[in-house]
Amino acid sequence: MRRMPLLAVTGMVAVGLTLSACGSDSMSPTTPGGSSPAGTSAAGGGADPALAARVPDEIKSAGKIVIGTDPTYAPNEMLDTDGKTVIGFDVDLFNAVAAKLGLETEWQPAGFDSIILGVTGDKYDIGVSSFTINDERKKQVNMVSYYSAGTQWITAKGNPKGVDIEDACGKNIGVQKGTVQLDDLTARSKACTDGGKPAITMVVQEGQDQVTADVVSGKADAMLADSPVGLYAIQQTKGQLEALGDIYDSAPYGYVVPKDQTEFAELLVDALEAAKADGSYDAALKEYSVEAGAIDDFAVNP
């Protein structure tokens, strides 16, 4: 679930985000190993003393939240043009949430499928990386809902390979490792072989940026990704890609919090509500034109 802006892909067309397009002058991005100032947010909301008092002692003493994220999933989380600074709507939004707690944020890039393990192993305080909430993940960690997205298929303009979502048997379909879309595609491929048809050839990549590049180059006939990411890729490729079918299986994204820190997860719900109330939640989404996925029923393990 991700992508880097202005990525140079050898022999392929990069699908990137310019600095002006993301409005970075108005944001407070953070660098790997670096922090954003406490009390800053997209709408300038400050710390809430009552919320800050409830921060777990270990995090409070550190003065920051260490966050695992996979920055290859534009416009949710991605690297800025310097190749180091993590930006995106997820970043702006969680910076606003952390600001309510009087904390700085330290964003640490990681492979998507390693982040939950990093949270359960105390490498990160939290995971923020467009994680769809599902039962399997809730068995491992607490998940705090903050946004809603579905799955969108994307193909080259005009769908030259004739991909049919309901019958993609024998096609080369791109998907990112560790995502719910990989589970979706695996089930579809099994249905193909169970019905006596050829399996789907799954072109699995570590980063969503690579998946998108595979479709642009023709290595993959189509891809499936979270809806804001797929639609953003269409916008950034300037006519090279198009949506295939409708968005389906809409579900909330969730912050990943250790299973034994339910009170911290509940605190994040309250901080999200505070960010919603002062406008910083909506401002973060508006900056990247992803307001359609806004929610207001934040919850732990919905």
Side-chain angles (χ1 to χ4, degrees):
M1 299 179 154
R2 6 268 118 200
R3 164 154 194 63
M4 170 181 170
L6 300 180
L7 181 71
V9 183
T10 303
M12 301 180 185
V13 178
V15 185
L17 176 69
T18 63
L19 197 59
S20 60
C22 71
S24 61
D25 288 345
S26 64
M27 297 183 289
S28 299
T30 56
T31 59
S35 301
S36 67
T40 63
S41 74
D48 182 317
L51 296 178
R54 294 164 52 196
V55 173
D57 290 340
E58 185 176 351
I59 295 176
K60 187 182 297 183
S61 63
K64 64 182 179 182
I65 301 178
V66 179
I67 307 152
T69 192
D70 175 2
T72 71
Y73 214 48
N76 302 8
E77 45 274 327
M78 54 193 168
L79 295 179
D80 206 344
T81 50
D82 62 3
K84 299 184 298 182
T85 305
V86 184
I87 62 173
F89 101 77
D90 251 352
V91 178
D92 276 15
L93 177 54
F94 192 75
N95 282 347
V97 170
K100 291 300 174 188
L101 306 179
L103 296 169
E104 296 182 348
T105 53
E106 180 178 310
W107 295 84
Q108 296 193 359
F112 180 68
D113 62 347
S114 72
I115 295 171
I116 289 180
L117 183 61
V119 172
T120 59
D122 296 327
K123 182 176 182 180
Y124 314 119
D125 297 318
I126 187 173
V128 180
S129 206
S130 306
F131 283 98
T132 300
I133 297 177
N134 59 33
D135 290 340
E136 181 180 351
R137 288 171 177 160
K138 287 192 289 184
K139 291 177 183 177
Q140 304 173 68
V141 292
N142 286 308
M143 302 197 76
V144 179
S145 59
Y146 66 92
Y147 187 80
S148 180
T151 291
Q152 176 69 65
W153 283 59
I154 304 293
T155 187
K157 186 71 173 180
N159 191 12
K161 298 297 180 66
V163 176
D164 179 349
I165 294 175
E166 301 307 324
D167 185 7
C169 308
K171 299 296 186 182
N172 300 321
I173 309 298
V175 68
Q176 187 185 12
K177 182 179 179 181
T179 62
V180 295
Q181 283 81 21
L182 178 56
D183 296 337
D184 181 351
L185 202 58
T186 300
R188 291 176 185 273
S189 185
K190 184 177 185 302
C192 289
T193 55
D194 286 351
K197 296 181 179 181
I200 295 171
T201 299
M202 292 178 279
V203 185
V204 183
Q205 300 284 13
E206 286 287 341
Q208 178 59 42
D209 51 350
Q210 298 167 300
V211 178
T212 301
D214 284 347
V215 181
V216 171
S217 71
K219 179 179 179 180
D221 302 329
M223 71 179 187
L224 58 166
D226 282 1
S227 50
V229 174
L231 297 174
Y232 180 81
I234 293 171
Q235 174 188 339
Q236 293 300 300
T237 55
K238 303 184 185 303
Q240 296 182 76
L241 302 176
E242 68 179 26
L244 180 64
D246 298 324
I247 296 169
Y248 62 90
D249 286 349
S250 292
Y253 283 164
Y255 297 142
V256 174
V257 179
K259 199 68 174 175
D260 61 354
Q261 293 188 22
T262 302
E263 290 185 1
F264 182 41
E266 291 170 346
L267 174 59
L268 293 177
V269 169
D270 293 341
L272 278 161
E273 291 175 347
K276 185 76 171 182
D278 79 354
S280 53
Y281 174 95
D282 292 320
L285 272 57
K286 185 176 181 180
E287 193 73 40
Y288 292 89
S289 302
V290 295
E291 304 98 311
I295 64 171
D296 54 19
D297 53 343
F298 313 114
V300 178
N301 299 326

